[in-house]
Amino acid sequence: METIKAPRGTRDVLGGESWKWARVMDVTASTADDFGFREIMLPIFEHTELFSRGIGDTTDVVEKEMYTFTDRGGRSVTLRPELTASIMRSYLEHDMRRGPQPVKLWGWGPMFRYERPQKGRYRQFAQIDFETLGVPGPMADIEIIDLSMEIYRRLGLSNLQVVLNSVGCPKCRPAYREVLKKYFASGFDSLCDTCKSRFDRNPLRILDCKNDACRQITESAPAVTDSLCDECGAHFKAVMRGLENLGADIKLDNRLVRGLDYYTKTAYEILSGDLGAQNAVCGGGRYDNLAESIGGPHVPGVGFASGIERIVITMEAQGAYMGKEPAPFIYVVTSGGGAENEAVSLAHDLRSRGVSADLDFMGRSMKAQMKTASQANARFVCILGEDEISAGTVTVKDMSAGTQETAPRAAAIEKIEKNVSRKEELR
Ligand code: AMP
């Protein structure tokens, strides 16, 4: 029988990589605190309707990419393809409108989309996601964009480009749709099949197409920013001014429309020069009509999501500081033959004092154990040879200095414990 492999588009984040994710999560959580965002944890699956109504029936995500199934109770449920709709659902369900506004929330975890897998694009991927709910003004948009850039700054990323656009609102978008349709009608035959089908349903999405022929046509398409109503125009200018005021380097891109229907006004992405074809490390914007589309009252909102895999790929490509790979502070080495219980007891005592310790389980030779200690990057080795065991002592070897010292067990543990406070410095 063939051994079972992970499904296509999923990946195992192994021990050699998972500690890098911990750094991304630490920086994300502390930046969230500094900006006043509270973490919330939401279900991995939701009623399918939340996404079909929230994200939009004509989007790729809803049409082609959702993992939808009927549960044993006959309900249609979907593995979440993103977090924004769930966060809005939670805000409405828990009546967060009653408290002070805005409500600033963040979450993270796995998302699921049936996409064609390639580098940086998976069927299960993880996102960090931030949402500011309950305020319509541009200050929230500016804060959200600033927050996303601050996370990357703290993670040491460079070579990033913020790309900004406005997609208008239900007041000005119908007129823009008509302008676009008129424009695309003349080159209709050259559009790809997907864009032909988008022509009537959602012509804005044609702007987003990566097909070469379509891109040639969209290059000189009329800009949405020329069709904005007064309110959307003023909002867009205020966001630009606010970001300039923060010294942000922003590029305007009239073709940025994003794949989810709920966006209104601000739409933005942050692109990395180190990601290849899937170059968006972050995407977000304003979605003032999402709450109503899922049956709630009017609740304005703005937010972003960023793929953790893509953040890690960019950090690796740029040689950014990833934190320290975990290593035992102590490796306990024995001369074998009956010393196992002593070794387990020493490791137990060290661990109970908060000292990370590891040891051999396989009865290997002292030489082999020393080799493992060195490969594991242990800072000190505690040697329990025959002499030590009969004298109740421990020999502590400093792996970087190469020096060693024998002391009574209690005194040795105490000394190690003292060194732990200098753990970072000693590494
Ligand atoms: P979106 O939810 O489509 O706005 O995407 C936001 C961010 O999530 C993107 O900029 C990527 O960093 C990440 N992302 C989206 N789809 C995938 C995917 N299939 N695989 C990996 N990361 C993704």
Side-chain angles (χ1 to χ4, degrees):
M1 195 167 61
E2 232 180 89
T3 48
I4 298 167
K5 302 241 168 50
R8 184 166 142 78
T10 68
R11 56 191 292 273
D12 302 330
V13 180
L14 302 178
E17 183 185 330
S18 56
W19 58 276
K20 300 175 183 174
W21 285 49
R23 163 122 183 109
V24 176
M25 293 320 299
D26 280 355
V27 167
T28 301
S30 61
T31 315
D33 283 348
D34 293 348
F35 279 71
F37 282 71
R38 280 284 179 93
E39 182 176 1
I40 59 170
M41 293 157 198
L42 298 170
I44 303 259
F45 63 91
E46 298 267 8
H47 291 297
T48 301
E49 251 191 309
L50 175 67
F51 304 116
S52 54
R53 281 165 51 186
I55 298 175
D57 276 335
T58 62
T59 56
D60 284 352
V61 170
V62 171
E63 270 188 341
K64 303 185 220 156
E65 297 172 1
M66 294 207 302
Y67 280 88
T68 298
F69 59 98
T70 307
D71 74 7
R72 286 168 195 271
R75 301 169 204 93
S76 176
V77 292
T78 294
L79 298 182
R80 62 186 186 193
E82 53 114 59
L83 216 47
T84 309
S86 300
I87 291 184
M88 183 61 91
R89 189 230 1 102
S90 177
Y91 173 95
L92 297 172
E93 192 166 336
H94 299 281
D95 223 359
M96 295 186 210
R97 272 202 322 151
R98 286 188 188 280
Q101 306 295 303
V103 174
K104 303 203 277 188
L105 302 169
W106 78 279
W108 76 281
M111 310 295 153
F112 306 85
R113 294 184 197 173
Y114 193 81
E115 294 194 88
R116 199 168 43 78
Q118 64 182 90
K119 185 186 168 203
R121 186 163 72 188
Y122 314 101
R123 291 182 174 170
Q124 176 176 333
F125 57 98
Q127 284 182 337
I128 52 171
D129 183 284
F130 285 73
E131 311 292 346
T132 299
L133 303 174
V135 287
M139 270 177 81
D141 309 43
I142 296 163
E143 184 183 74
I144 274 289
I145 298 174
D146 185 37
L147 163 57
S148 51
M149 293 192 302
E150 179 62 13
I151 291 175
Y152 304 134
R153 192 190 66 77
R154 291 187 189 189
L155 287 171
L157 296 187
S158 54
N159 196 16
L160 297 180
Q161 178 67 60
V162 182
V163 184
L164 184 70
N165 195 20
S166 172
V167 292
C169 69
K171 222 162 47 187
C172 47
R173 213 173 319 174
Y176 180 58
R177 274 174 66 113
E178 289 317 307
V179 171
L180 266 188
K181 280 178 78 171
K182 218 160 140 194
Y183 174 79
F184 286 130
S186 56
F188 184 83
D189 290 341
S190 315
L191 293 173
C192 73
D193 287 346
T194 315
C195 284
K196 280 183 180 142
S197 77
R198 284 168 171 162
F199 181 81
D200 275 317
R201 292 183 308 151
N202 196 348
L204 260 78
R205 288 302 314 281
I206 299 176
L207 294 171
D208 206 20
C209 187
K210 302 284 181 278
N211 179 292
D212 283 343
C214 298
R215 280 197 81 81
Q216 261 184 18
I217 299 173
T218 55
E219 206 141 81
S220 32
V224 62
T225 41
D226 292 336
S227 300
L228 295 179
C229 62
D230 290 349
E231 191 191 321
C232 288
H235 189 96
F236 189 49
K237 280 203 187 91
V239 172
M240 276 193 299
R241 264 200 313 273
L243 292 170
E244 273 162 26
N245 183 41
L246 296 175
D249 177 22
I250 308 291
K251 197 173 129 207
L252 300 183
D253 181 353
N254 276 310
R255 288 191 294 183
L256 177 70
V257 289
R258 319 262 309 111
L260 315 169
D261 268 358
Y262 53 56
Y263 285 107
T264 52
K265 297 181 176 160
T266 309
Y268 83 104
E269 279 187 346
I270 301 183
L271 308 180
S272 160
D274 295 285
L275 272 174
Q278 297 304 315
N279 62 348
V281 74
C282 165
R286 178 164 279 285
Y287 45 86
D288 290 347
N289 301 312
L290 170 61
E292 282 156 297
S293 68
I294 59 171
H298 180 74
V299 179
V302 59
F304 76 87
S306 180
I308 301 179
E309 291 86 355
R310 292 194 195 173
I311 296 176
V312 171
I313 294 173
T314 308
M315 288 174 78
E316 277 174 341
Q318 297 185 357
Y321 175 70
M322 296 272 189
K324 291 224 165 80
E325 188 166 3
F329 195 61
I330 301 292
Y331 197 90
V332 181
V333 166
T334 64
S335 56
E340 285 92 350
N341 278 340
E342 288 296 329
V344 169
S345 151
L346 179 59
H348 170 88
D349 287 353
L350 288 166
R351 290 164 174 167
S352 68
R353 286 169 167 79
V355 181
S356 65
D358 216 342
L359 70 166
D360 174 60
F361 284 8
M362 310 293 289
R364 275 181 289 210
S365 71
M366 252 179 141
K367 197 173 156 207
Q369 292 178 58
M370 286 304 289
K371 197 170 158 199
T372 307
S374 153
Q375 279 165 348
N377 215 7
R379 187 61 188 76
F380 294 96
V381 166
C382 283
I383 302 165
L384 290 173
E386 276 163 29
D387 292 351
E388 282 87 355
I389 288 175
S390 58
T393 57
V394 178
T395 297
V396 181
K397 179 168 181 188
D398 183 326
M399 294 294 274
S400 64
T403 53
Q404 62 181 54
E405 220 178 293
T406 304
R409 194 182 193 272
I413 292 177
E414 205 172 302
K415 199 163 171 193
I416 290 167
E417 218 181 335
K418 278 203 190 112
N419 272 328
V420 167
S421 58
R422 296 169 52 226
K423 193 171 167 181
E424 286 307 310
E425 187 189 325
L426 285 168
R427 280 225 177 270

